[in-house]
């Protein structure tokens, strides 16, 4: 049967002041998924690396979107998905979104591309619902489109791909658990109007900086007066690390998704690597295990490679 | 002595979701100001049309900025300003900003242009302080720059001129009084996080639409979930008028500044004129006097014309 490999990259959602509306796509890490078209109406999920992923498709972030897709198809088809999980679940860099977006993009490819990117995002959001209980798009949208995407509205879904500036992203994932539900529960449900105004000034500045490739403006706009002051309390070392990274030349950054990963943007690979060094040093000193990455902003999103007629 | 005329146009601040951060410049109406350089360190203010403007420069929106400017100059100079007030004070389309920005731009011209636009905005903000007690920039910035401007931050001042899309603006000024202080006092000081998120999605969409000249996106983004629901209660007919204007083809719009003027954006002069007709009809039916205007978005801001050596 027809088959392909999908490379589904990590993503950074909640881009500082752009809580719930802005996300960017990383080059690495990326999940690798082997996807085969079946002539039976079923979804088969396998974990290649012994990661304890749910194999019931309705409970799996890659499976749930495809179950929705199958309902919309006239053909009797199904998919087998073997997931090489490279983005650690719970890291805050879009692990569930990568599985969902990778599965949807691969299925779309194997079916002859009947779905546009917005429809693919809508299916992939079903995977986010399985993972966190909320159908959000700020990871799956940049994973499908690449670059930096704006989710102006969820209902109706209005996604606008902005641009993919030549920026480098340093990410550190301290090995602590921050549950998405806790990170949501800690937020205040009312925010002071004066802080909301500062926030929307910064969002407008950040979007302008991204579209005009104005790096100093991006840097000045990477301020979050609402979410970060609350959520950063869940991440040891956050404030000091952020200060050190900016002193070392990072444009700015913050909490990736709902954490615990932290990301910083830089205009050169050299700076981004120095920032990664500071991140490693910080968590070494705190005695907390970590993973760290340096990546460009990914311009294409999920990448599909055809697999030759595979008998396996 | 050297003299010039400044044409200082009206402006629309609080651009729907862009409360306190986005403003646009109108072509008309515009104040006309005759400004003369004096060799004495004094500011003389005269109203040409019998408008009861304060003649004490410290209390006048055109005078206060120039008093600040004089303190920064090494030369012993002053200015005489004759104001032909064409933008009615209290209309909500930047009457005080026009006086302030026009005076500053004219003085800068007469001095040989020592101040850049950001410095001019900073002086002009002193006029806003006289008018409303608050040093805001979302009228004076578009008045100085033209087009649509973003005020990312007031302290430190960070103004970013965005673009001047080819849009038409219909404005109606119902002759009712909405005091800026009341319009401020009525606002809730805490806003629900979920509305704040909708608002910043729309701000990001609006800025993207302005920069990419994507008119449907501008239209979809012209939604205000925070300020308009509260302030529109001060303006009779607002909700019905907005609905009728959108049905007649306006991209969208809202309260200009803190009101009572209402503005609507359209992609053609024909639509903008039809919208003006609906505005007129609405206030005729309500038995409220009004002024109305149709204007393009002004691309240059305050316009200076030199006056030949004037002996008067």
């Amino acid at each position: 049967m027809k088959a392909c490999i999908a490379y589904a990259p990590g993503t950074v959602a909640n881009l500082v002041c752009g809580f719930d509306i802005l996300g960017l796509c990383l080059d690495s890490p990326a999940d690798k998924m082997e996807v085969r078209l079946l002539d039976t109406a079923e979804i088969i999920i396998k974990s290649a690396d012994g990661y304890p992923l749910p194999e019931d498709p309705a409970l799996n972030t890659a499976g749930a979107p495809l179950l929705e897709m199958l309902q919309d198809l006239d053909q009797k088809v199904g998919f087998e998905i073997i997931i090489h999980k490279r983005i650690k679940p719970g890291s805050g860099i879009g692990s569930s979104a990568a599985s969902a977006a990778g599965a949807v993009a691969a299925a779309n490819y194997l079916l002859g591309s009947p779905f546009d990117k917005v429809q693919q995002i809508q299916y992939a959001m079903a995977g986010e619902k399985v993972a966190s209980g909320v159908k959000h798009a700020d990871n799956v949208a940049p994973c499908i489109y690449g670059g930096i995407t704006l989710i102006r509205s969820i209902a109706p879904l209005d996604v606008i791909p902005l641009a993919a500036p030549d920026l480098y992203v340093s990410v550190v994932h301290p090995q602590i658990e921050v549950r998405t539900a806790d990170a949501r529960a800690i937020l205040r449900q009312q925010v002071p109007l004066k802080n909301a105004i500062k926030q929307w000034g910064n969002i407008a500045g950040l979007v302008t900086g991204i579209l005009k490739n104005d790096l100093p403006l991006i840097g000045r706009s990477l301020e979050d007066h609402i979410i970060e002051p609350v959520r950063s309390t869940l991440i040891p070392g956050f404030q000091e690390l952020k200060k050190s990274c900016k002193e070392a030349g990072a444009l700015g950054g913050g909490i990736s998704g709902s954490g615990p990963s932290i990301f910083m943007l830089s205009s050169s690979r050299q700076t981004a690597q120095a920032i990664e060094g500071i991140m490693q040093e910080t968590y070494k000193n705190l005695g907390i295990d970590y993973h760290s990455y340096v990546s460009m902003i990914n311009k294409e999103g999920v990448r599909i490679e055809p697999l030759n007629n595979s008998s396996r």
Side-chain angles (χ1 to χ4, degrees), chain A residues 20-297:
Chain A
D20 264 6
I21 65 161
L22 289 176
L24 67 74
C25 190
L26 299 168
D27 257 346
S28 62
D31 286 352
K32 181 180 165 188
M33 305 165 78
E34 296 172 53
V35 184
R36 277 178 183 75
L37 192 64
L38 307 176
D39 55 10
T40 49
E42 62 181 333
I43 308 292
I44 301 167
I45 306 278
K46 294 179 182 168
S47 172
D49 308 310
Y51 254 104
L53 300 175
E55 299 205 344
D56 176 349
L59 303 178
N60 182 288
T61 56
L66 298 193
L67 287 175
E68 277 203 7
M69 188 186 284
L70 289 195
Q71 288 177 356
D72 294 343
L73 293 175
D74 295 331
Q75 313 160 253
K76 194 179 127 196
V77 292
F79 300 95
E80 181 197 59
I81 307 174
I82 303 169
I83 303 176
H84 300 253
K85 197 74 200 155
R86 306 251 171 96
I87 310 169
K88 205 179 159 190
S91 56
I93 51 169
S95 176
S96 56
S99 296
V104 169
N108 181 59
Y109 168 80
L110 295 175
L111 292 169
S113 302
F115 302 113
D116 65 23
K117 285 184 191 286
V118 172
Q119 290 171 307
Q120 291 177 52
I121 289 167
Q122 269 165 327
Y123 285 125
M125 286 166 73
E128 293 292 50
K129 178 124 201 234
V130 168
S132 71
V134 183
K135 267 198 166 186
H136 69 97
D138 46 345
N139 288 102
V140 292
C143 194
I144 292 279
Y145 274 108
I148 300 178
T149 56
L150 162 64
I151 293 86
R152 187 192 66 82
S153 156
I154 282 287
L157 182 63
D158 191 3
V159 176
I160 301 115
L162 294 181
D166 288 329
L167 290 176
Y168 294 83
V169 194
S170 314
V171 175
V172 64
H173 173 204
Q175 306 291 299
I176 56 171
E177 190 185 4
V178 174
R179 289 174 52 216
T180 304
D182 292 345
R184 286 238 155 222
I186 199 177
L187 295 179
R188 298 190 190 100
Q189 292 311 305
Q190 298 282 325
V191 301
L193 177 61
K194 68 177 173 47
N195 287 352
I197 293 169
K198 282 187 197 169
Q199 193 89 345
W200 56 62
N202 283 318
I203 288 160
L206 180 55
V207 168
T208 304
I210 291 165
L211 289 174
K212 291 189 168 187
N213 203 30
D214 179 337
L215 303 191
L217 176 57
I218 291 176
R220 296 199 300 282
S221 305
L222 285 171
E223 275 186 7
D224 175 0
H225 293 276
I226 297 189
I227 309 298
E228 183 182 289
V230 180
R231 283 197 170 165
S232 61
T233 60
L234 301 174
I235 306 173
F238 178 86
Q239 295 299 348
E240 307 80 333
L241 176 57
K242 185 177 160 188
K243 190 163 170 284
S244 307
C245 291
K246 290 182 79 166
E247 283 167 6
L251 292 172
I255 302 167
S256 178
S258 55
S261 286
I262 299 168
F263 78 101
M264 287 285 151
L265 300 178
S266 301
S267 58
S268 75
R269 182 174 294 276
Q270 199 183 6
T271 304
Q273 283 167 343
I275 298 298
E276 186 189 25
I278 293 170
M279 290 170 159
Q280 293 169 339
E281 194 66 19
T282 299
Y283 285 102
K284 216 172 276 168
N285 289 342
L286 287 170
I288 295 173
D289 287 341
Y290 61 86
H291 293 294
S292 65
Y293 313 91
V294 169
S295 165
M296 284 205 73
I297 292 183

